[in-house]
Amino acid sequence: MKKVKIIGVPEHFNMPWHLAIEEGAFEERGIELEWTDIPEGTGKMCQMLENKETDLAIILTEGLIKSITEGNPAKIVQEYIASPLHWGIHVGAKSTYNSIDDLMGRKVAISRFGSGSHLMAYVNAQNEGWDTQNLQFEVINNLDGAVEALTRGTADYFMWEHFTTKPLVDQQVFRRLGDCPTPWPCFVIAATDSFIQDNASTLEHILEIINMYTADFKQIPSIDRTLANRYGQQLEDIQEWMSMTRWSQSQLKPQTVEKVQDTLMDLKLIVKQKPYTDIAFSKG
């Protein structure tokens, strides 16, 4: 058996991977796929790819592209989710802020620098016409850290995936003031350069299997109930999320990579752009 390490966030987007692992789809091809949940998100996963603590990652597009431009020896091997990620903009339940306008110049909680919560705070500030140079950050590591920061008032607002944080809104831990969708497909499959180089056929098998699972995912009987139970979500929230989410079976387009890099440059989050072939891997 060929052992392969893969990481991703503990969120409903990654259910096709868990199903494929549980049903032995990878083992049938002689692959032992070892999944690890990374609740800290993309910043932490970029670090793990760089340190070769994992072979593959299901990771946010903008965070990985930023990391690759900074020298991370990894590449996008495929688009995973073709639809945007809807980032909820949250404040503590007892907060005095009632609109997104109220958050200008306030401190934003982020899981870590280089993570989606960090980069999307800039995208949101630009959307709102704020001076992005004035953004202030409080590093909170994960969702539990965000709950603590917003409840204690050490940070003022927090951006995280709308449906993952919905139970906290329902429990009146957070209030959501609005959403900020990513202007590009949100998740990609990444691999370290060394894994791509040494395991081309294994990678091909892995992508083939996950693409079969994602192509049919929405047609699985009662998949909405399975997701709601597994991720502690309301059934109607999962149904709404599924209607908005599109899995992909193809490589990220060059124009998308260009758009992400243009945006990151514009926001002064990267200092140089890289050619498409340095960021995305395609056979042949």
Side-chain angles (χ1 to χ4, degrees), residues 210-246:
I210 196 60
N211 288 342
M212 284 193 296
Y213 271 79
T214 58
D216 298 335
F217 187 65
K218 290 188 184 186
Q219 275 67 56
I220 297 171
S222 303
I223 190 61
D224 51 354
R225 291 182 189 283
T226 306
L227 282 158
N229 291 335
R230 189 178 282 218
Y231 292 96
Q233 297 272 352
Q234 299 291 333
L235 186 60
E236 59 269 26
D237 290 335
I238 283 290
Q239 287 166 343
E240 186 187 345
W241 168 76
M242 285 189 79
S243 74
M244 294 159 62
T245 303
R246 294 192 322 280

PDB file of all heavy atoms in Angstrom, residues 210-246:
ATOM      1  N   ILE A 210     -11.569  10.815  -6.515  1.00  0.00           N
ATOM      2  CA  ILE A 210     -12.328  11.918  -5.906  1.00  0.00           C
ATOM      3  C   ILE A 210     -13.257  12.556  -6.931  1.00  0.00           C
ATOM      4  O   ILE A 210     -14.369  12.971  -6.603  1.00  0.00           O
ATOM      5  CB  ILE A 210     -11.407  12.960  -5.218  1.00  0.00           C
ATOM      6  CG1 ILE A 210     -12.229  13.849  -4.274  1.00  0.00           C
ATOM      7  CG2 ILE A 210     -10.615  13.795  -6.198  1.00  0.00           C
ATOM      8  CD1 ILE A 210     -12.957  13.138  -3.156  1.00  0.00           C
ATOM      9  N   ASN A 211     -12.838  12.597  -8.194  1.00  0.00           N
ATOM     10  CA  ASN A 211     -13.705  13.186  -9.227  1.00  0.00           C
ATOM     11  C   ASN A 211     -14.951  12.345  -9.470  1.00  0.00           C
ATOM     12  O   ASN A 211     -16.027  12.885  -9.749  1.00  0.00           O
ATOM     13  CB  ASN A 211     -12.918  13.383 -10.523  1.00  0.00           C
ATOM     14  CG  ASN A 211     -11.903  14.522 -10.410  1.00  0.00           C
ATOM     15  OD1 ASN A 211     -12.008  15.364  -9.512  1.00  0.00           O
ATOM     16  ND2 ASN A 211     -10.934  14.545 -11.297  1.00  0.00           N
ATOM     17  N   MET A 212     -14.818  11.031  -9.332  1.00  0.00           N
ATOM     18  CA  MET A 212     -16.016  10.167  -9.444  1.00  0.00           C
ATOM     19  C   MET A 212     -16.977  10.460  -8.291  1.00  0.00           C
ATOM     20  O   MET A 212     -18.190  10.551  -8.486  1.00  0.00           O
ATOM     21  CB  MET A 212     -15.611   8.686  -9.409  1.00  0.00           C
ATOM     22  CG  MET A 212     -15.002   8.196 -10.715  1.00  0.00           C
ATOM     23  SD  MET A 212     -14.881   6.387 -10.791  1.00  0.00           S
ATOM     24  CE  MET A 212     -13.735   6.011  -9.489  1.00  0.00           C
ATOM     25  N   TYR A 213     -16.417  10.640  -7.095  1.00  0.00           N
ATOM     26  CA  TYR A 213     -17.258  10.898  -5.916  1.00  0.00           C
ATOM     27  C   TYR A 213     -17.915  12.274  -5.979  1.00  0.00           C
ATOM     28  O   TYR A 213     -19.093  12.412  -5.655  1.00  0.00           O
ATOM     29  CB  TYR A 213     -16.431  10.751  -4.631  1.00  0.00           C
ATOM     30  CG  TYR A 213     -16.429   9.329  -4.113  1.00  0.00           C
ATOM     31  CD1 TYR A 213     -15.614   8.363  -4.683  1.00  0.00           C
ATOM     32  CD2 TYR A 213     -17.279   8.939  -3.077  1.00  0.00           C
ATOM     33  CE1 TYR A 213     -15.628   7.048  -4.233  1.00  0.00           C
ATOM     34  CE2 TYR A 213     -17.294   7.626  -2.618  1.00  0.00           C
ATOM     35  CZ  TYR A 213     -16.474   6.687  -3.198  1.00  0.00           C
ATOM     36  OH  TYR A 213     -16.508   5.381  -2.751  1.00  0.00           O
ATOM     37  N   THR A 214     -17.158  13.290  -6.401  1.00  0.00           N
ATOM     38  CA  THR A 214     -17.758  14.634  -6.421  1.00  0.00           C
ATOM     39  C   THR A 214     -18.765  14.789  -7.554  1.00  0.00           C
ATOM     40  O   THR A 214     -19.763  15.494  -7.412  1.00  0.00           O
ATOM     41  CB  THR A 214     -16.688  15.745  -6.526  1.00  0.00           C
ATOM     42  OG1 THR A 214     -15.901  15.544  -7.713  1.00  0.00           O
ATOM     43  CG2 THR A 214     -15.780  15.764  -5.309  1.00  0.00           C
ATOM     44  N   ALA A 215     -18.535  14.097  -8.675  1.00  0.00           N
ATOM     45  CA  ALA A 215     -19.465  14.195  -9.812  1.00  0.00           C
ATOM     46  C   ALA A 215     -20.856  13.700  -9.429  1.00  0.00           C
ATOM     47  O   ALA A 215     -21.868  14.242  -9.875  1.00  0.00           O
ATOM     48  CB  ALA A 215     -18.915  13.408 -10.993  1.00  0.00           C
ATOM     49  N   ASP A 216     -20.901  12.667  -8.572  1.00  0.00           N
ATOM     50  CA  ASP A 216     -22.185  12.060  -8.193  1.00  0.00           C
ATOM     51  C   ASP A 216     -22.674  12.482  -6.810  1.00  0.00           C
ATOM     52  O   ASP A 216     -23.721  12.026  -6.355  1.00  0.00           O
ATOM     53  CB  ASP A 216     -22.048  10.516  -8.198  1.00  0.00           C
ATOM     54  CG  ASP A 216     -21.708   9.982  -9.585  1.00  0.00           C
ATOM     55  OD1 ASP A 216     -22.030  10.669 -10.566  1.00  0.00           O
ATOM     56  OD2 ASP A 216     -21.098   8.894  -9.678  1.00  0.00           O
ATOM     57  N   PHE A 217     -21.912  13.317  -6.123  1.00  0.00           N
ATOM     58  CA  PHE A 217     -22.147  13.583  -4.697  1.00  0.00           C
ATOM     59  C   PHE A 217     -23.576  14.035  -4.390  1.00  0.00           C
ATOM     60  O   PHE A 217     -24.220  13.530  -3.473  1.00  0.00           O
ATOM     61  CB  PHE A 217     -21.129  14.616  -4.193  1.00  0.00           C
ATOM     62  CG  PHE A 217     -21.182  14.829  -2.711  1.00  0.00           C
ATOM     63  CD1 PHE A 217     -20.852  13.815  -1.829  1.00  0.00           C
ATOM     64  CD2 PHE A 217     -21.575  16.058  -2.179  1.00  0.00           C
ATOM     65  CE1 PHE A 217     -20.898  14.008  -0.451  1.00  0.00           C
ATOM     66  CE2 PHE A 217     -21.630  16.264  -0.812  1.00  0.00           C
ATOM     67  CZ  PHE A 217     -21.279  15.243   0.060  1.00  0.00           C
ATOM     68  N   LYS A 218     -24.080  14.980  -5.179  1.00  0.00           N
ATOM     69  CA  LYS A 218     -25.416  15.530  -4.881  1.00  0.00           C
ATOM     70  C   LYS A 218     -26.542  14.524  -5.124  1.00  0.00           C
ATOM     71  O   LYS A 218     -27.661  14.714  -4.647  1.00  0.00           O
ATOM     72  CB  LYS A 218     -25.662  16.798  -5.706  1.00  0.00           C
ATOM     73  CG  LYS A 218     -24.807  17.977  -5.276  1.00  0.00           C
ATOM     74  CD  LYS A 218     -25.246  19.239  -5.992  1.00  0.00           C
ATOM     75  CE  LYS A 218     -24.357  20.405  -5.650  1.00  0.00           C
ATOM     76  NZ  LYS A 218     -24.846  21.672  -6.210  1.00  0.00           N
ATOM     77  N   GLN A 219     -26.225  13.469  -5.891  1.00  0.00           N
ATOM     78  CA  GLN A 219     -27.258  12.462  -6.211  1.00  0.00           C
ATOM     79  C   GLN A 219     -27.336  11.343  -5.162  1.00  0.00           C
ATOM     80  O   GLN A 219     -28.212  10.492  -5.234  1.00  0.00           O
ATOM     81  CB  GLN A 219     -26.986  11.833  -7.589  1.00  0.00           C
ATOM     82  CG  GLN A 219     -27.561  12.637  -8.761  1.00  0.00           C
ATOM     83  CD  GLN A 219     -26.878  13.975  -8.939  1.00  0.00           C
ATOM     84  OE1 GLN A 219     -25.667  14.037  -9.091  1.00  0.00           O
ATOM     85  NE2 GLN A 219     -27.651  15.055  -8.915  1.00  0.00           N
ATOM     86  N   ILE A 220     -26.422  11.339  -4.195  1.00  0.00           N
ATOM     87  CA  ILE A 220     -26.435  10.269  -3.184  1.00  0.00           C
ATOM     88  C   ILE A 220     -27.729  10.387  -2.372  1.00  0.00           C
ATOM     89  O   ILE A 220     -28.048  11.469  -1.866  1.00  0.00           O
ATOM     90  CB  ILE A 220     -25.205  10.374  -2.251  1.00  0.00           C
ATOM     91  CG1 ILE A 220     -23.904  10.175  -3.051  1.00  0.00           C
ATOM     92  CG2 ILE A 220     -25.276   9.360  -1.105  1.00  0.00           C
ATOM     93  CD1 ILE A 220     -22.631  10.483  -2.271  1.00  0.00           C
ATOM     94  N   PRO A 221     -28.499   9.291  -2.231  1.00  0.00           N
ATOM     95  CA  PRO A 221     -29.753   9.370  -1.468  1.00  0.00           C
ATOM     96  C   PRO A 221     -29.527   9.889  -0.040  1.00  0.00           C
ATOM     97  O   PRO A 221     -28.590   9.454   0.640  1.00  0.00           O
ATOM     98  CB  PRO A 221     -30.242   7.913  -1.449  1.00  0.00           C
ATOM     99  CG  PRO A 221     -29.598   7.278  -2.637  1.00  0.00           C
ATOM    100  CD  PRO A 221     -28.265   7.956  -2.792  1.00  0.00           C
ATOM    101  N   SER A 222     -30.346  10.845   0.351  1.00  0.00           N
ATOM    102  CA  SER A 222     -30.324  11.432   1.711  1.00  0.00           C
ATOM    103  C   SER A 222     -28.971  12.024   2.111  1.00  0.00           C
ATOM    104  O   SER A 222     -28.664  12.119   3.293  1.00  0.00           O
ATOM    105  CB  SER A 222     -30.743  10.396   2.769  1.00  0.00           C
ATOM    106  OG  SER A 222     -32.002   9.888   2.486  1.00  0.00           O
ATOM    107  N   ILE A 223     -28.159  12.445   1.136  1.00  0.00           N
ATOM    108  CA  ILE A 223     -26.844  13.022   1.475  1.00  0.00           C
ATOM    109  C   ILE A 223     -27.012  14.287   2.311  1.00  0.00           C
ATOM    110  O   ILE A 223     -26.189  14.590   3.182  1.00  0.00           O
ATOM    111  CB  ILE A 223     -25.977  13.282   0.208  1.00  0.00           C
ATOM    112  CG1 ILE A 223     -24.528  13.641   0.593  1.00  0.00           C
ATOM    113  CG2 ILE A 223     -26.585  14.353  -0.707  1.00  0.00           C
ATOM    114  CD1 ILE A 223     -23.763  12.583   1.352  1.00  0.00           C
ATOM    115  N   ASP A 224     -28.112  15.031   2.100  1.00  0.00           N
ATOM    116  CA  ASP A 224     -28.347  16.239   2.898  1.00  0.00           C
ATOM    117  C   ASP A 224     -28.506  15.900   4.380  1.00  0.00           C
ATOM    118  O   ASP A 224     -27.947  16.565   5.248  1.00  0.00           O
ATOM    119  CB  ASP A 224     -29.556  17.036   2.364  1.00  0.00           C
ATOM    120  CG  ASP A 224     -30.807  16.181   2.177  1.00  0.00           C
ATOM    121  OD1 ASP A 224     -30.741  14.945   2.335  1.00  0.00           O
ATOM    122  OD2 ASP A 224     -31.866  16.767   1.841  1.00  0.00           O
ATOM    123  N   ARG A 225     -29.234  14.795   4.669  1.00  0.00           N
ATOM    124  CA  ARG A 225     -29.414  14.381   6.075  1.00  0.00           C
ATOM    125  C   ARG A 225     -28.092  13.901   6.680  1.00  0.00           C
ATOM    126  O   ARG A 225     -27.777  14.201   7.838  1.00  0.00           O
ATOM    127  CB  ARG A 225     -30.455  13.257   6.184  1.00  0.00           C
ATOM    128  CG  ARG A 225     -31.849  13.726   5.865  1.00  0.00           C
ATOM    129  CD  ARG A 225     -32.901  12.633   6.008  1.00  0.00           C
ATOM    130  NE  ARG A 225     -34.164  13.138   5.473  1.00  0.00           N
ATOM    131  CZ  ARG A 225     -34.956  13.989   6.119  1.00  0.00           C
ATOM    132  NH1 ARG A 225     -34.630  14.429   7.321  1.00  0.00           N
ATOM    133  NH2 ARG A 225     -36.083  14.410   5.567  1.00  0.00           N
ATOM    134  N   THR A 226     -27.344  13.148   5.886  1.00  0.00           N
ATOM    135  CA  THR A 226     -26.046  12.645   6.355  1.00  0.00           C
ATOM    136  C   THR A 226     -25.143  13.817   6.729  1.00  0.00           C
ATOM    137  O   THR A 226     -24.507  13.822   7.792  1.00  0.00           O
ATOM    138  CB  THR A 226     -25.369  11.790   5.254  1.00  0.00           C
ATOM    139  OG1 THR A 226     -26.282  10.770   4.848  1.00  0.00           O
ATOM    140  CG2 THR A 226     -24.082  11.156   5.740  1.00  0.00           C
ATOM    141  N   LEU A 227     -25.078  14.820   5.865  1.00  0.00           N
ATOM    142  CA  LEU A 227     -24.247  16.004   6.116  1.00  0.00           C
ATOM    143  C   LEU A 227     -24.728  16.772   7.349  1.00  0.00           C
ATOM    144  O   LEU A 227     -23.919  17.185   8.188  1.00  0.00           O
ATOM    145  CB  LEU A 227     -24.276  16.931   4.898  1.00  0.00           C
ATOM    146  CG  LEU A 227     -23.394  16.527   3.714  1.00  0.00           C
ATOM    147  CD1 LEU A 227     -23.897  17.170   2.435  1.00  0.00           C
ATOM    148  CD2 LEU A 227     -21.943  16.921   3.955  1.00  0.00           C
ATOM    149  N   ALA A 228     -26.044  16.968   7.456  1.00  0.00           N
ATOM    150  CA  ALA A 228     -26.602  17.710   8.589  1.00  0.00           C
ATOM    151  C   ALA A 228     -26.241  17.020   9.909  1.00  0.00           C
ATOM    152  O   ALA A 228     -25.825  17.678  10.870  1.00  0.00           O
ATOM    153  CB  ALA A 228     -28.116  17.834   8.440  1.00  0.00           C
ATOM    154  N   ASN A 229     -26.370  15.682   9.929  1.00  0.00           N
ATOM    155  CA  ASN A 229     -26.046  14.932  11.152  1.00  0.00           C
ATOM    156  C   ASN A 229     -24.562  14.988  11.467  1.00  0.00           C
ATOM    157  O   ASN A 229     -24.158  15.216  12.602  1.00  0.00           O
ATOM    158  CB  ASN A 229     -26.484  13.465  11.015  1.00  0.00           C
ATOM    159  CG  ASN A 229     -27.992  13.335  10.987  1.00  0.00           C
ATOM    160  OD1 ASN A 229     -28.696  14.198  11.506  1.00  0.00           O
ATOM    161  ND2 ASN A 229     -28.500  12.289  10.366  1.00  0.00           N
ATOM    162  N   ARG A 230     -23.738  14.789  10.436  1.00  0.00           N
ATOM    163  CA  ARG A 230     -22.297  14.701  10.675  1.00  0.00           C
ATOM    164  C   ARG A 230     -21.707  16.042  11.100  1.00  0.00           C
ATOM    165  O   ARG A 230     -20.786  16.089  11.915  1.00  0.00           O
ATOM    166  CB  ARG A 230     -21.569  14.188   9.427  1.00  0.00           C
ATOM    167  CG  ARG A 230     -20.100  13.883   9.743  1.00  0.00           C
ATOM    168  CD  ARG A 230     -19.342  13.326   8.565  1.00  0.00           C
ATOM    169  NE  ARG A 230     -19.604  11.932   8.308  1.00  0.00           N
ATOM    170  CZ  ARG A 230     -18.669  11.058   7.908  1.00  0.00           C
ATOM    171  NH1 ARG A 230     -17.415  11.445   7.778  1.00  0.00           N
ATOM    172  NH2 ARG A 230     -18.973   9.819   7.633  1.00  0.00           N
ATOM    173  N   TYR A 231     -22.229  17.131  10.538  1.00  0.00           N
ATOM    174  CA  TYR A 231     -21.619  18.439  10.807  1.00  0.00           C
ATOM    175  C   TYR A 231     -22.455  19.333  11.731  1.00  0.00           C
ATOM    176  O   TYR A 231     -22.174  20.522  11.860  1.00  0.00           O
ATOM    177  CB  TYR A 231     -21.312  19.145   9.476  1.00  0.00           C
ATOM    178  CG  TYR A 231     -20.211  18.429   8.725  1.00  0.00           C
ATOM    179  CD1 TYR A 231     -20.509  17.496   7.730  1.00  0.00           C
ATOM    180  CD2 TYR A 231     -18.873  18.633   9.046  1.00  0.00           C
ATOM    181  CE1 TYR A 231     -19.500  16.802   7.066  1.00  0.00           C
ATOM    182  CE2 TYR A 231     -17.863  17.955   8.390  1.00  0.00           C
ATOM    183  CZ  TYR A 231     -18.175  17.039   7.404  1.00  0.00           C
ATOM    184  OH  TYR A 231     -17.175  16.357   6.756  1.00  0.00           O
ATOM    185  N   GLY A 232     -23.470  18.738  12.383  1.00  0.00           N
ATOM    186  CA  GLY A 232     -24.264  19.485  13.359  1.00  0.00           C
ATOM    187  C   GLY A 232     -24.966  20.695  12.760  1.00  0.00           C
ATOM    188  O   GLY A 232     -25.015  21.774  13.350  1.00  0.00           O
ATOM    189  N   GLN A 233     -25.536  20.498  11.556  1.00  0.00           N
ATOM    190  CA  GLN A 233     -26.179  21.600  10.836  1.00  0.00           C
ATOM    191  C   GLN A 233     -27.689  21.351  10.732  1.00  0.00           C
ATOM    192  O   GLN A 233     -28.147  20.212  10.772  1.00  0.00           O
ATOM    193  CB  GLN A 233     -25.606  21.688   9.414  1.00  0.00           C
ATOM    194  CG  GLN A 233     -24.134  22.014   9.356  1.00  0.00           C
ATOM    195  CD  GLN A 233     -23.864  23.510   9.355  1.00  0.00           C
ATOM    196  OE1 GLN A 233     -24.785  24.321   9.243  1.00  0.00           O
ATOM    197  NE2 GLN A 233     -22.613  23.875   9.485  1.00  0.00           N
ATOM    198  N   GLN A 234     -28.434  22.428  10.546  1.00  0.00           N
ATOM    199  CA  GLN A 234     -29.864  22.301  10.251  1.00  0.00           C
ATOM    200  C   GLN A 234     -30.008  21.776   8.814  1.00  0.00           C
ATOM    201  O   GLN A 234     -29.260  22.196   7.930  1.00  0.00           O
ATOM    202  CB  GLN A 234     -30.565  23.662  10.353  1.00  0.00           C
ATOM    203  CG  GLN A 234     -30.490  24.317  11.715  1.00  0.00           C
ATOM    204  CD  GLN A 234     -31.301  23.584  12.768  1.00  0.00           C
ATOM    205  OE1 GLN A 234     -32.277  22.907  12.456  1.00  0.00           O
ATOM    206  NE2 GLN A 234     -30.873  23.691  14.014  1.00  0.00           N
ATOM    207  N   LEU A 235     -30.993  20.918   8.601  1.00  0.00           N
ATOM    208  CA  LEU A 235     -31.195  20.327   7.274  1.00  0.00           C
ATOM    209  C   LEU A 235     -31.406  21.398   6.202  1.00  0.00           C
ATOM    210  O   LEU A 235     -30.806  21.327   5.117  1.00  0.00           O
ATOM    211  CB  LEU A 235     -32.383  19.354   7.296  1.00  0.00           C
ATOM    212  CG  LEU A 235     -32.633  18.549   6.017  1.00  0.00           C
ATOM    213  CD1 LEU A 235     -31.428  17.686   5.648  1.00  0.00           C
ATOM    214  CD2 LEU A 235     -33.882  17.683   6.154  1.00  0.00           C
ATOM    215  N   GLU A 236     -32.207  22.424   6.511  1.00  0.00           N
ATOM    216  CA  GLU A 236     -32.474  23.456   5.488  1.00  0.00           C
ATOM    217  C   GLU A 236     -31.211  24.266   5.159  1.00  0.00           C
ATOM    218  O   GLU A 236     -31.040  24.732   4.030  1.00  0.00           O
ATOM    219  CB  GLU A 236     -33.637  24.385   5.890  1.00  0.00           C
ATOM    220  CG  GLU A 236     -33.464  25.143   7.179  1.00  0.00           C
ATOM    221  CD  GLU A 236     -34.013  24.389   8.402  1.00  0.00           C
ATOM    222  OE1 GLU A 236     -34.082  23.129   8.363  1.00  0.00           O
ATOM    223  OE2 GLU A 236     -34.362  25.069   9.387  1.00  0.00           O
ATOM    224  N   ASP A 237     -30.314  24.423   6.139  1.00  0.00           N
ATOM    225  CA  ASP A 237     -29.047  25.130   5.875  1.00  0.00           C
ATOM    226  C   ASP A 237     -28.168  24.313   4.936  1.00  0.00           C
ATOM    227  O   ASP A 237     -27.568  24.858   4.003  1.00  0.00           O
ATOM    228  CB  ASP A 237     -28.288  25.395   7.183  1.00  0.00           C
ATOM    229  CG  ASP A 237     -28.986  26.437   8.052  1.00  0.00           C
ATOM    230  OD1 ASP A 237     -29.726  27.261   7.494  1.00  0.00           O
ATOM    231  OD2 ASP A 237     -28.797  26.403   9.281  1.00  0.00           O
ATOM    232  N   ILE A 238     -28.100  23.015   5.179  1.00  0.00           N
ATOM    233  CA  ILE A 238     -27.302  22.128   4.308  1.00  0.00           C
ATOM    234  C   ILE A 238     -27.886  22.122   2.894  1.00  0.00           C
ATOM    235  O   ILE A 238     -27.153  22.172   1.896  1.00  0.00           O
ATOM    236  CB  ILE A 238     -27.234  20.690   4.889  1.00  0.00           C
ATOM    237  CG1 ILE A 238     -26.239  20.650   6.054  1.00  0.00           C
ATOM    238  CG2 ILE A 238     -26.884  19.657   3.825  1.00  0.00           C
ATOM    239  CD1 ILE A 238     -24.761  20.812   5.678  1.00  0.00           C
ATOM    240  N   GLN A 239     -29.214  22.092   2.794  1.00  0.00           N
ATOM    241  CA  GLN A 239     -29.856  22.084   1.471  1.00  0.00           C
ATOM    242  C   GLN A 239     -29.555  23.378   0.713  1.00  0.00           C
ATOM    243  O   GLN A 239     -29.279  23.355  -0.491  1.00  0.00           O
ATOM    244  CB  GLN A 239     -31.363  21.869   1.621  1.00  0.00           C
ATOM    245  CG  GLN A 239     -31.693  20.436   2.014  1.00  0.00           C
ATOM    246  CD  GLN A 239     -33.122  20.251   2.508  1.00  0.00           C
ATOM    247  OE1 GLN A 239     -33.812  21.214   2.860  1.00  0.00           O
ATOM    248  NE2 GLN A 239     -33.575  19.001   2.545  1.00  0.00           N
ATOM    249  N   GLU A 240     -29.567  24.509   1.438  1.00  0.00           N
ATOM    250  CA  GLU A 240     -29.241  25.798   0.802  1.00  0.00           C
ATOM    251  C   GLU A 240     -27.773  25.796   0.361  1.00  0.00           C
ATOM    252  O   GLU A 240     -27.447  26.202  -0.754  1.00  0.00           O
ATOM    253  CB  GLU A 240     -29.490  26.945   1.787  1.00  0.00           C
ATOM    254  CG  GLU A 240     -29.318  28.311   1.152  1.00  0.00           C
ATOM    255  CD  GLU A 240     -29.383  29.465   2.151  1.00  0.00           C
ATOM    256  OE1 GLU A 240     -29.833  29.263   3.298  1.00  0.00           O
ATOM    257  OE2 GLU A 240     -28.946  30.567   1.767  1.00  0.00           O
ATOM    258  N   TRP A 241     -26.886  25.310   1.250  1.00  0.00           N
ATOM    259  CA  TRP A 241     -25.452  25.251   0.926  1.00  0.00           C
ATOM    260  C   TRP A 241     -25.212  24.367  -0.303  1.00  0.00           C
ATOM    261  O   TRP A 241     -24.463  24.743  -1.204  1.00  0.00           O
ATOM    262  CB  TRP A 241     -24.679  24.730   2.142  1.00  0.00           C
ATOM    263  CG  TRP A 241     -23.267  24.376   1.815  1.00  0.00           C
ATOM    264  CD1 TRP A 241     -22.239  25.253   1.618  1.00  0.00           C
ATOM    265  CD2 TRP A 241     -22.730  23.062   1.608  1.00  0.00           C
ATOM    266  NE1 TRP A 241     -21.086  24.555   1.307  1.00  0.00           N
ATOM    267  CE2 TRP A 241     -21.360  23.223   1.301  1.00  0.00           C
ATOM    268  CE3 TRP A 241     -23.267  21.778   1.672  1.00  0.00           C
ATOM    269  CZ2 TRP A 241     -20.533  22.130   1.046  1.00  0.00           C
ATOM    270  CZ3 TRP A 241     -22.444  20.690   1.423  1.00  0.00           C
ATOM    271  CH2 TRP A 241     -21.090  20.870   1.107  1.00  0.00           C
ATOM    272  N   MET A 242     -25.870  23.199  -0.349  1.00  0.00           N
ATOM    273  CA  MET A 242     -25.685  22.291  -1.493  1.00  0.00           C
ATOM    274  C   MET A 242     -26.152  22.924  -2.800  1.00  0.00           C
ATOM    275  O   MET A 242     -25.541  22.730  -3.846  1.00  0.00           O
ATOM    276  CB  MET A 242     -26.394  20.964  -1.249  1.00  0.00           C
ATOM    277  CG  MET A 242     -25.647  20.094  -0.257  1.00  0.00           C
ATOM    278  SD  MET A 242     -26.328  18.431  -0.145  1.00  0.00           S
ATOM    279  CE  MET A 242     -25.625  17.686  -1.605  1.00  0.00           C
ATOM    280  N   SER A 243     -27.222  23.702  -2.728  1.00  0.00           N
ATOM    281  CA  SER A 243     -27.738  24.342  -3.950  1.00  0.00           C
ATOM    282  C   SER A 243     -26.762  25.402  -4.476  1.00  0.00           C
ATOM    283  O   SER A 243     -26.755  25.721  -5.661  1.00  0.00           O
ATOM    284  CB  SER A 243     -29.113  24.965  -3.686  1.00  0.00           C
ATOM    285  OG  SER A 243     -28.980  26.141  -2.909  1.00  0.00           O
ATOM    286  N   MET A 244     -25.899  25.941  -3.583  1.00  0.00           N
ATOM    287  CA  MET A 244     -24.957  26.999  -3.962  1.00  0.00           C
ATOM    288  C   MET A 244     -23.577  26.458  -4.336  1.00  0.00           C
ATOM    289  O   MET A 244     -22.743  27.191  -4.861  1.00  0.00           O
ATOM    290  CB  MET A 244     -24.758  27.962  -2.778  1.00  0.00           C
ATOM    291  CG  MET A 244     -25.978  28.747  -2.389  1.00  0.00           C
ATOM    292  SD  MET A 244     -25.862  29.374  -0.682  1.00  0.00           S
ATOM    293  CE  MET A 244     -24.443  30.429  -0.771  1.00  0.00           C
ATOM    294  N   THR A 245     -23.326  25.178  -4.037  1.00  0.00           N
ATOM    295  CA  THR A 245     -21.961  24.633  -4.139  1.00  0.00           C
ATOM    296  C   THR A 245     -21.803  23.748  -5.375  1.00  0.00           C
ATOM    297  O   THR A 245     -22.631  22.879  -5.622  1.00  0.00           O
ATOM    298  CB  THR A 245     -21.625  23.834  -2.858  1.00  0.00           C
ATOM    299  OG1 THR A 245     -21.789  24.706  -1.737  1.00  0.00           O
ATOM    300  CG2 THR A 245     -20.205  23.306  -2.878  1.00  0.00           C
ATOM    301  N   ARG A 246     -20.709  23.994  -6.118  1.00  0.00           N
ATOM    302  CA  ARG A 246     -20.411  23.182  -7.301  1.00  0.00           C
ATOM    303  C   ARG A 246     -19.017  22.577  -7.162  1.00  0.00           C
ATOM    304  O   ARG A 246     -18.036  23.310  -7.008  1.00  0.00           O
ATOM    305  CB  ARG A 246     -20.444  24.036  -8.582  1.00  0.00           C
ATOM    306  CG  ARG A 246     -21.792  24.592  -8.938  1.00  0.00           C
ATOM    307  CD  ARG A 246     -21.831  25.176 -10.357  1.00  0.00           C
ATOM    308  NE  ARG A 246     -20.640  25.880 -10.783  1.00  0.00           N
ATOM    309  CZ  ARG A 246     -20.328  27.134 -10.454  1.00  0.00           C
ATOM    310  NH1 ARG A 246     -21.117  27.824  -9.659  1.00  0.00           N
ATOM    311  NH2 ARG A 246     -19.227  27.703 -10.934  1.00  0.00           N
TER     312      ARG A 246
END
